[in-house]
Amino acid sequence: MLSTQMTHIMKRILITCIALTGIISGCATVQSIVRSSFPYSATLIIPASTRTGSTQSAVSTLTSADQIFTGQGTTGSTQSLRIASARINSVNPSSQSLGVLSSVRIYLTRSDGSGEILVASRNDISSGTGNSLVLDTDNSRFLDDYINGGGARVRMEYVLRQSLNVDVSVRASLTFSTTAQ
């Protein structure tokens, strides 16, 4: 009887150990997936006084959730960063249609201003576009030198299709990914 109870207890301990190992492994995998992508954003202003039909530009500092909540951004140890996705959203007014734009290009600029690289664009913006627009990305280049160390800036080049009645704030949301080392 004691032997049967001991066997039963040993089976429970073994099952518990296997379950805990699975949970711990799952958490590490999720953390690896989460930390292999880095969301950044920048808010850019399109003035109401902007002329239509000509290329204009707006610049803002790129910030990450890490910078906002912990005061720290991606450090110089992050390697092999590439753009994973890019979108722009109307922020103020939030209902502003992005169909007022005929084209948009997003560039990253190094914190010291020494270089600039095109990371996302859209040339075929429909006049019926809503307040959110997914951009085409160019993930052929590594962006470590632009993102690491903080202070990177975003420059948005745009062409207005029609005039604006008010200044429009748009948020450029960029996600960068890194490959497992």
Side-chain angles (χ1 to χ4, degrees):
M1 181 88 153
L2 186 60
S3 167
T4 307
Q5 285 180 336
M6 201 58 142
T7 304
H8 188 62
I9 291 172
M10 293 300 287
K11 284 182 183 179
R12 282 187 180 175
I13 291 173
L14 181 63
I15 290 171
T16 303
C17 287
I18 291 171
L20 284 174
T21 302
I23 290 170
I24 291 170
S25 296
C27 290
T29 301
V30 168
Q31 182 179 11
S32 172
I33 291 169
V34 169
R35 293 307 303 163
S36 67
S37 64
F38 303 92
Y40 280 80
S41 66
T43 301
L44 302 133
I45 308 294
I46 302 173
S49 61
T50 303
R51 292 188 339 234
T52 60
S54 64
T55 302
Q56 303 294 319
S57 181
V59 178
S60 181
T61 301
L62 194 60
T63 58
S64 71
D66 285 345
Q67 289 170 314
I68 294 168
F69 294 114
T70 67
Q72 300 175 1
T74 304
T75 65
S77 62
T78 305
Q79 297 178 344
S80 305
L81 285 170
R82 295 179 191 262
I83 186 81
S85 66
R87 77 178 316 123
I88 58 173
N89 298 309
S90 296
V91 177
N92 189 19
S94 60
S95 61
Q96 175 64 53
S97 166
L98 294 174
V100 298
L101 301 169
S102 60
S103 68
V104 66
R105 293 175 176 263
I106 302 290
Y107 295 88
L108 282 183
T109 304
R110 287 189 180 106
S111 57
D112 63 5
S114 66
E116 183 175 77
I117 189 168
L118 176 69
V119 294
S121 63
R122 194 60 166 301
N123 294 317
D124 58 350
I125 301 172
S126 166
S127 60
T129 299
N131 64 347
S132 181
L133 178 65
V134 174
L135 304 176
D136 301 320
T137 58
D138 177 2
N139 62 4
S140 64
R141 294 179 220 133
F142 292 117
L143 304 169
D144 306 6
D145 292 345
Y146 294 86
I147 299 300
N148 286 332
R153 293 181 306 168
V154 168
R155 185 172 72 86
M156 179 177 75
E157 266 186 10
Y158 60 93
V159 176
L160 275 181
R161 170 179 289 128
Q162 62 192 67
S163 60
L164 299 171
N165 296 327
V166 296
D167 292 352
V168 175
S169 297
V170 296
R171 178 171 296 120
S173 300
L174 309 175
T175 302
F176 300 93
S177 64
T178 184
T179 54
Q181 299 293 325

